[in-house]
Amino acid sequence: MALTGLIFNIQKFCLHDGPGIRTVVFFRGCSLSCYWCSNPESLDGNPCEDCREYSPEEVLKICLEDRPFYGESAANASGGVTLSGGDALCQWEFSLELLRLLKTEGIHSAIETSGYASGHIFDKVIDRTDLLLFDIKHHDDRRHFEGTGVQNGLILSNLKSACKKGKDLLVRVPVIPGYNDSAEDARGFAALLESMGIGRLQLLPFHQFGERKYDLLGLEYSMKNVPQLHPEDMENFMGIFTKQGIDCFI
Ligand code: SF4
């Protein structure tokens, strides 16, 4: 049977999903169910009219249309293609083939992931990926489960494996009010990063970009009236990482 991937969007000229100008491929499906998820249309079971099956060659063809722009960004920030979602690890066989095709064309690849997959699948996928954008939701296992529906053991062991391999890696923490934004949380995250020798962290302050999507999809949204976080709200939180010698930025 032909290999296909369930994709709900292919967005062009993106500037915030890896270096340079990028094409972002949004995969349907995620193993987590974060209650603040800003892409509810990506989750299995939720309606998504734009979702359809693509062959890896079809996705590659769409990406190749943008190739002239990949080099048109700041020096040493060559653009390329980012696999996002949802989580591309949920459709790992399709991801592997797409990554192989991108490599054949010499196109830089990145993956935005929660890192939740069995170790051998994770290793296979990252071996074909140039840059890992690895999101950690909580340093504490119990709290991780409460917020996302899964424990963080597998995620942390995959992160460790990526570090051991010396992968080009950027760890990110989505900062969610009332969930992982306390000083104690910052210290917990900092200790975790230190234990793995990770000295760089991007914080993703909570935003409300997903609110309208919940309304349109007729889904309940538990973060409805929660105010967004702005850079000025993050100073103390960031300061805790900086004090620990971690290069922390938004
Ligand atoms: S990992 Fe990302 S895509 Fe998956 S549920 Fe959480 S926020 Fe949504």
Side-chain angles (χ1 to χ4, degrees):
M1 220 171 76
L3 182 62
T4 57
L6 211 47
I7 305 295
F8 70 92
N9 192 9
I10 299 178
Q11 210 170 316
K12 294 169 170 240
F13 304 106
C14 298
L15 295 170
H16 302 289
D17 305 271
I21 295 173
R22 308 193 72 83
T23 309
V24 181
V25 182
F26 289 90
F27 284 63
R28 169 89 154 170
C30 183
S31 304
L32 277 58
S33 47
C34 311
Y35 63 83
W36 61 87
C37 183
S38 59
N39 284 333
E41 74 278 36
S42 72
L43 306 183
D44 286 333
N46 290 345
C48 180
E49 282 175 11
D50 298 332
C51 192
R52 77 163 176 91
E53 289 193 358
Y54 288 79
S55 69
E57 292 76 14
E58 249 182 301
V59 176
L60 177 73
K61 196 169 161 222
I62 295 169
C63 295
L64 286 176
E65 293 166 3
D66 296 346
R67 173 141 65 183
F69 305 102
Y70 295 156
E72 278 200 4
S73 27
N76 76 22
S78 152
V81 174
T82 300
L83 278 53
S84 185
D87 197 320
L89 290 177
C90 289
Q91 300 184 57
W92 63 274
E93 285 165 306
F94 180 86
S95 300
L96 271 183
E97 179 56 11
L98 179 57
L99 289 162
R100 189 187 69 76
L101 293 175
L102 290 168
K103 209 165 256 320
T104 310
E105 292 291 340
I107 294 174
H108 181 271
S109 64
I111 181 168
E112 289 184 310
T113 181
S114 69
Y116 191 85
S118 67
H120 74 281
I121 290 176
F122 179 80
D123 284 348
K124 270 188 196 175
V125 173
I126 68 166
D127 284 348
R128 285 203 189 155
T129 310
D130 295 314
L131 168 67
L132 269 180
L133 302 167
F134 197 117
D135 292 1
I136 309 180
K137 315 299 196 283
H138 215 291
H139 55 92
D140 178 80
D141 192 34
R142 184 182 59 83
R143 293 287 286 144
H144 194 282
F145 183 80
E146 285 168 1
T148 70
V150 305
Q151 293 182 293
N152 68 7
L154 192 54
I155 291 169
L156 298 184
S157 108
N158 283 336
L159 179 58
K160 225 180 259 176
S161 161
C163 292
K164 263 197 199 138
K165 281 173 184 271
K167 289 299 299 182
D168 191 4
L169 172 79
L170 175 60
V171 174
R172 310 184 304 185
V173 169
V175 185
I176 310 300
Y179 177 63
N180 62 6
D181 64 337
S182 69
E184 193 191 337
D185 287 324
R187 285 190 287 271
F189 279 118
L192 181 68
L193 296 180
E194 273 184 343
S195 73
M196 294 192 197
I198 297 169
R200 214 164 144 249
L201 171 70
Q202 182 175 20
L203 298 176
L204 308 172
F206 172 71
H207 58 71
Q208 282 290 12
F209 302 157
E211 187 174 12
R212 233 177 86 75
K213 296 183 188 173
Y214 281 84
D215 285 345
L216 287 170
L217 296 172
L219 298 170
E220 216 172 287
Y221 181 43
S222 59
M223 300 296 281
K224 202 168 181 57
N225 297 312
V226 178
Q228 304 198 112
L229 291 173
H230 301 283
E232 56 272 26
D233 304 320
M234 307 292 300
E235 281 170 16
N236 291 342
F237 195 77
M238 280 178 78
I240 293 171
F241 293 98
T242 312
K243 233 186 242 164
Q244 298 294 316
I246 295 170
D247 173 17
C248 179
F249 59 97
I250 291 177

